[in-house]
Every structure is written in structure tokens, then in C-alpha cells.
């Protein structure tokens, strides 16, 4: 059975191979140009081939993307999920779902308990929520910054569908993060990199091994 873990920001065949071999349940491809992890829909489609064959779900990470990019991603990559990681309102989420036929993952920034209230409009619309650390003021990126939030904030957080914990996770803290937060799923990007956007296959393997030990029932 595939692990409840998503490796995000993949851009090389070696990283995809490590994620698939390690048992990741989800792979994320980034389509936000300022990110060092950004790839084209064509490149993502090529990289996704072995993952699809292994039953891994494919996610497209977007940030306030317009219709043209959304349509290209849908036509070329045909992802299982579109992840909204910007300021998109629920109405835009419904539009994206209708245009693409893909499921939705809604990323929400968390800095304090008040931020969990922002999940309410999305709990029925999105297939999964993803709680990420709120970016520092002035940051150019909305995620993948290696910043964590207080994991105790999500204790007792029980949306209708399983949700991802993200932000500052790595092979050494993921077990504690899952235990403290109560998160049923995990998402990692910079925590398995040897440099900005450079995924390290050995770190991917170590992260997934740690998730497996923390979630033996998976």
C-alpha cells in the first residue's frame, strides 16, 4: 500500500524514481515560475509516467494560476489533483475543478489558531487540505521555504477528509511532527533537498522510511 506522503517539487527522473521506490502515495510537480522547482507541463508529463504505472497520484502545484496555464496542465499532464497554493477563493477552486475534472488540494498558511478557521469554506469543496507554515512577510514563495509552524495547533483538527501537514518537515522530524500534530498525511519539499530545488534521492528515501515507521498501518 502506498504511504500517505507527498513528495513535492520533483524535477528529475532520479528523484521520481526514489519517491516511487520509497512508496510515496503522491508526487507534486510545481508550476509556479518564481520557484526553483518549477517545471513545464511537458516535463512533468514525462516525469510522471513511471509514477502513474506504480499507482502514485499526480498533483499539480499552482499559485493563482490563470485559465491558460490551468488548461495546459490539465491537457498535457492530466493530474489527479490540482493544488491551489495562492490566494484563490473557494469560487476559483470550484472553477478549476470544473475546468480540469481533477480533484482539489487546498493549501492554507498557518501561523496561529485563527488560521485554521480559513479551512471552513474548503472542507466540502477540496478533496484534501494542506496546512503549511505561513511564509515570512515579503517572501516570494508561498511554500517550500523550510519553515515549520507550531504542530500543537492542529491537535483535534478533524476536517471531513484526510489532510496533509507541510512546512519544515524532514527525515529527522517527521515522526515527531505526525505524532504531535495528529496529521494523517505528510508533504515535503525543501526538507529532502541538498540545495534549492535539488532533490536528493537518499533524503527522499529516508523521509519515506521515517513515515513508514511512524505510520506502520500504511
Amino acid at each position: 500500500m502506498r504511504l500517505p506522503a507527498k513528495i513535492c517539487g520533483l524535477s528529475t527522473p532520479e528523484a521520481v524514481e526514489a519517491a516511487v521506490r520509497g512508496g510515496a502515495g503522491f508526487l507534486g510537480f510545481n508550476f509556479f515560475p518564481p520557484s526553483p522547482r518549477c517545471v513545464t507541463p511537458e516535463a512533468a508529463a514525462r516525469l510522471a509516467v513511471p509514477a502513474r504505472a506504480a499507482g502514485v497520484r499526480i498533483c499539480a502545484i499552482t499559485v493563482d494560476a490563470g485559465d491558460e496555464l490551468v488548461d495546459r496542465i490539465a491537457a498535457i499532464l492530466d493530474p489527479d489533483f490540482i493544488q491551489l497554493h495562492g490566494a484563490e477563493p473557494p469560487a476559483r477552486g470550484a472553477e478549476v475543478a470544473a475546468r480540469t475534472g481533477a480533484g482539489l488540494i487546498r493549501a492554507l498558511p498557518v501561523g496561529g489558531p485563527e488560521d485554521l478557521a480559513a479551512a471552513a469554506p474548503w472542507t466540502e469543496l477540496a478533496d484534501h487540505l494542506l496546512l503549511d507554515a505561513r511564509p515570512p512577510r515579503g517572501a516570494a514563495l508561498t511554500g517550500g521555504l523550510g519553515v515549520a509552524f507550531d504542530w500543537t495547533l492542529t491537535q483535534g483538527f478533524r476536517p471531513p477528509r484526510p489532510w496533509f501537514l507541510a512546512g519544515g518537515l524532514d527525515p529527522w522530524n517527521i515522526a515527531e511532527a505526525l505524532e504531535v500534530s495528529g496529521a494523517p498525511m505528510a508533504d515535503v519539499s525543501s526538507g529532502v533537498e541538498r540545495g534549492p530545488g535539488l532533490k536528493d534521492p537518499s533524503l527522499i528515501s529516508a523521509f519515506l522510511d521515517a513515515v513508514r515507521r511512524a505510520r506502520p498501518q500504511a
Side-chain angles (χ1 to χ4, degrees), residues 105-127:
I105 298 175
R106 182 53 168 129
L108 297 169
V110 177
E114 67 281 0
D115 291 320
L116 294 180
W122 292 93
T123 53
E124 297 299 331
L125 175 60
D127 295 88

Side-chain angles (χ1 to χ4, degrees), residues 15-107:
V16 170
E17 180 184 2
V20 173
R21 184 175 61 248
F26 306 80
L27 298 190
F29 296 98
N30 189 308
F31 299 101
F32 184 48
S35 171
R37 306 166 185 96
C38 185
V39 295
T40 65
E42 291 82 2
R46 291 191 296 270
L47 290 166
V49 171
R52 289 190 195 280
V56 182
R57 311 302 292 277
I58 303 301
C59 308
I61 292 83
T62 65
V63 178
D64 300 312
D67 289 347
E68 181 179 358
L69 177 57
V70 167
D71 291 347
R72 285 189 64 224
I73 292 170
I76 297 169
L77 178 61
D78 188 24
D80 297 292
F81 297 98
I82 300 282
Q83 180 172 312
L84 306 178
H85 215 113
E88 302 92 345
R92 177 57 176 164
E95 289 176 0
V96 170
R99 292 185 75 92
T100 64
L104 288 181
I105 298 175
R106 182 53 168 129

Side-chain angles (χ1 to χ4, degrees), residues 147-168:
V147 178
F149 65 88
D150 181 357
W151 300 325
T152 65
L153 291 173
T154 61
Q155 292 175 349
F157 181 63
R158 298 288 185 272
R161 299 177 180 87
W163 56 279
F164 291 92
L165 177 68

